[in-house]
Amino acid sequence: MKVSVKALVLNKDGLILGLRRSETHPTKPFQWDLPGGLVEEGEDLIEAIKREIKEETGIDVENLKLLHVMAGSSSGGDYIITICYTCVSDTNEVKISWEHDQFEWLIANEFLSRDINDRTKTFIRMNNERK
């Protein structure tokens, strides 16, 4: 079993940060995604999502709130629990890592129209229902 963390990073205008996986990404290249990744053994969940966001975008976030938890099998056959948070960035300046080749700040409907997985769709829709 693996545990992953994801985040809907919102800017001051309420737009969601979307990242497009690069051609060399090990899974689902060119698919749009939220910042996040696997939790390291013994790592605190909040520290894990902050680390992943910093590694993938170069930004620091605040006001982390739990959005939803999902469990299921990954495309590789692993059983994975994904914990999604919402958080706020005070900057729109993003420095993407090797894992991604594009980023955009998107309204929810724009993000939902992209090539994204069902898990990401669920998180975006749940965030919309909270408003």
Side-chain angles (χ1 to χ4, degrees):
M1 180 178 69
K2 295 181 179 180
V3 177
S4 74
V5 286
K6 290 288 184 178
L8 269 80
V9 178
L10 306 170
N11 69 8
K12 65 181 187 314
D13 298 318
L15 299 176
I16 304 166
L17 178 59
L19 303 174
R20 192 179 84 158
R21 294 172 184 233
S22 67
E23 181 177 9
T24 58
H25 196 285
T27 58
K28 300 179 182 164
F30 302 119
Q31 190 174 70
W32 286 84
D33 199 6
L34 299 169
L38 294 176
V39 176
E40 296 172 1
E41 187 173 335
E43 188 175 26
D44 177 83
L45 296 172
I46 297 296
E47 292 307 312
I49 191 57
K50 285 180 177 181
R51 175 185 53 77
E52 285 288 346
I53 293 167
K54 185 74 169 180
E55 287 176 2
E56 294 182 1
T57 68
I59 60 177
D60 294 307
V61 295
E62 54 191 38
N63 202 21
L64 280 147
K65 295 180 183 172
L66 179 64
L67 175 66
H68 189 58
V69 178
M70 294 180 73
S73 295
S74 71
S75 56
D78 292 317
Y79 188 75
I80 190 161
I81 295 171
T82 303
I83 303 160
C84 186
Y85 298 90
T86 60
C87 55
V88 178
S89 170
D90 64 358
T91 183
N92 288 339
E93 295 180 29
V94 176
K95 297 174 190 141
I96 53 177
S97 71
W98 67 270
E99 294 179 74
H100 304 97
D101 61 6
Q102 291 182 37
F103 76 91
E104 285 187 59
W105 292 97
L106 302 160
I107 63 170
N109 286 340
E110 285 177 310
F111 208 148
L112 289 168
S113 72
R114 303 289 169 101
D115 176 18
I116 60 176
N117 64 37
D118 290 338
R119 175 186 63 186
T120 301
K121 287 179 188 176
T122 298
F123 295 149
I124 293 169
R125 288 180 178 137
M126 290 193 78
N127 188 58
N128 280 349
E129 291 171 7
R130 272 190 168 180
K131 295 179 183 179

